[in-house]
Amino acid sequence: MKDTLRELIHGALAELRAQEILPPGETPAFVVERTRNREHGDFASNVALTLAKLAGRKPREIAEALVGVIKDPRVARLEIAGPGFINFHLSPAAVHSEILRILDEGEGYGRNQSGAGRKLQIEFVSANPTGPLHVGHGRGAAVGDSLARVMAANGWAVAREFYYNDAGAQIENLALSVQSRCKGIEPEHADWPADGYRGDYIKDVATDYLAGKTVHADGQDVTAAADAANLDAIRRFAVAWLRREQDLDLRAFGVDFDVYFLESSLYTEGRVESTVRELVAAGHTYEKDGALWLKTTDFGDDKDRVMRKSEGGYTYFVPDVAYHEGKWQRGFERVINEQGADHHSTVNRVRAGLQALDVGIPQGWPEYVLHQMVTVMRGNEEVKLSKRAGSYVTLRDLIDEVGRDATRYFLVARKTDSQLVFDIDLARAQTNDNPVYYIQYAHARVCSVHRQLAERGITADGAAGRAALDQLDSEHERALMSELSRYPEVVEAAAANLDPQLVAQYLRELAAAFHGYYNAHQFIVDDAVMRNARITLADAARIVLASGLDLLGVSAPQSM
């Protein structure tokens, strides 16, 4: 409806310019937004205020002129408020037309094509294959996958990618840890590696390695050599074993990826060396103290950064630059990286390195969504340890405790830049205090109405219900219809702000509107006209609830 009102305003402005009431020229940016208080109308616009200086008139005079020429059956009444805001009161027919649109478009309602099929890659989770996924990875998975769903709902061609850091010191520590377990060395022993991993999963890897087992990860089979002295074979098997475990956790979480990219391939395929040569050729590097430096200060960084250390080897951001250059070469117009807040320091360095390549990569590419830490609580006490992981709460722990739906919803239900407290007791509760239960229950209630109709031998007449929407004029019905019509705006805003929690917040508000309606009115009444109208409105609510839950990767149960 916002787009419709904007079109009406532009048409009115054109008419006022034709009458020479307003001067010719471009229209300054203005907003059409929902009012906070429905007594002030459904929508309000500041267009008169933005035009005042250009037109040399008081905003209220411009507003009066606009109100005089805006004539449309979808607008029941116009009011001028304050210094010149225009309040729009929609007609019942306009509100009902949106309910009909929901019923006609079904699961397509709320979607748009603003992305126009352009290529977008979202990289998320990207955990080191050194242990089970922790709850922070879980938040990244929930946010990243929900964001991918939201962006696809806005017409982007989305590719999901997982970047495996399978090279570097942490992989060496993993191999040494598994080797120690293979030799019967316990984590408490003096010979245990100083930076070794201590979780019980290391013992599981060692047991399978010594048993000569085969694991399947990313389309390849890796068979254990069963030789405790062969550190290279242990390394290959341990990485594959943990990649498979992480894949199983993600599958249990309802998260799939289109591409799994190995950091090690950047070295084996010579991409890191190639990128370094490109940076040197572009003239943005220099030698100092035996090291190779990149002039990142030319691109907004606070100081230049070492690329190749004096003792040899590249610093960690160099392969990141090579990796992202590859993303650009793969044709992604947009790239969004969903990562933990501890990656904040790499943002400017990676962007500076990409700018220094001089290959046309735009400033601010890639985009970043950084999430804050998660604290897990049970019974007012923080849960810190998992026996299997050794030092942190795993994603699998949460899924086993509260289920996939609650885990996904809770991990996405706050803005990513806010720390999140995951209350296990609340997530398990089957009460209205549990937001995911509250939302799913609203969907299940609509389904239960249809079951009750069938039990009574009554058939809901959808066509009659559509024709009788004008019978729905109670406060609860108007509030629910208004809330339903907001959904396309929420989907658009969630994409514009890269913020899927807007969908989670909206679903709570929609569920509240529906429960208020359900509790105040009977649906299965003797009056067939009213019965069909109310069930039709409930069906529209069910469609939007299911659609919004799907954007979060949460199921819409038919019974609870």
Side-chain angles (χ1 to χ4, degrees), residues 208-213 222-228 230 232-234 236-237:
D208 284 356
Y209 176 78
L210 291 176
K213 291 191 175 181
V222 177
T223 301
D227 179 2
N230 191 336
D232 287 340
I234 291 174
R236 287 192 299 273
F237 181 80

Side-chain angles (χ1 to χ4, degrees), residues 18-240:
Q19 297 175 12
E20 298 185 351
I21 296 175
L22 290 178
E26 293 292 325
T27 302
F30 65 90
V31 298
V32 176
E33 59 188 0
R34 289 183 181 269
T35 58
R36 294 184 179 180
N37 186 339
R38 292 192 66 245
E39 292 181 0
H40 299 154
D42 298 285
F43 291 89
S45 177
N46 67 342
V47 60
L49 283 76
T50 66
L51 281 166
K53 185 176 181 180
L54 178 66
R57 289 171 172 259
K58 293 180 179 180
R60 199 169 182 89
E61 292 178 3
I62 299 173
E64 290 171 350
L66 284 166
V67 167
V69 296
I70 295 177
K71 307 293 182 185
D72 191 279
R74 291 166 292 189
V75 179
R77 191 168 80 255
L78 292 164
E79 294 175 346
I80 301 172
F85 291 99
I86 301 176
N87 292 342
F88 294 80
H89 294 259
L90 299 181
S91 68
V95 177
H96 299 157
S97 69
E98 197 68 15
I99 303 304
L100 295 176
R101 184 181 161 204
I102 295 171
L103 298 166
D104 289 338
E105 296 183 10
E107 64 182 19
Y109 179 72
R111 271 62 172 167
N112 65 72
Q113 289 301 315
S114 59
R118 288 171 289 172
K119 291 181 66 175
L120 162 67
Q121 185 215 60
I122 301 180
E123 179 206 329
F124 57 106
V125 183
S126 294
N128 296 341
T130 56
L133 297 177
H134 57 59
V135 66
H137 296 135
R139 189 176 191 187
V143 172
D145 188 58
S146 296
L147 184 58
R149 292 165 182 257
V150 165
M151 299 306 289
N154 282 267
W156 289 87
V158 180
R160 297 163 168 84
E161 185 151 316
F162 190 121
Y163 178 70
Y164 276 110
N165 299 94
D166 66 332
Q170 76 278 2
I171 299 299
E172 193 65 19
N173 291 330
L174 170 67
L176 291 171
S177 302
V178 175
Q179 185 180 52
S180 295
R181 279 288 195 179
C182 288
K183 294 179 178 180
I185 300 173
E186 301 285 336
E188 296 77 20
H189 195 278
D191 291 337
W192 187 261
D195 296 316
Y197 296 95
R198 297 171 175 268
D200 283 356
Y201 69 94
I202 295 295
K203 184 178 180 180
D204 296 337
V205 178
T207 299
D208 284 356
Y209 176 78
L210 291 176
K213 291 191 175 181
T214 298
V215 295
H216 184 83
D218 193 24
Q220 293 184 333
D221 289 329
V222 177
T223 301
D227 179 2
N230 191 336
L231 189 61
D232 287 340
I234 291 174
R235 183 186 299 106
R236 287 192 299 273
F237 181 80
V239 168

Side-chain angles (χ1 to χ4, degrees), residues 61 368 384 389 512 531:
E61 292 178 3
Y368 287 85
K384 294 184 177 181
R531 180 177 68 237

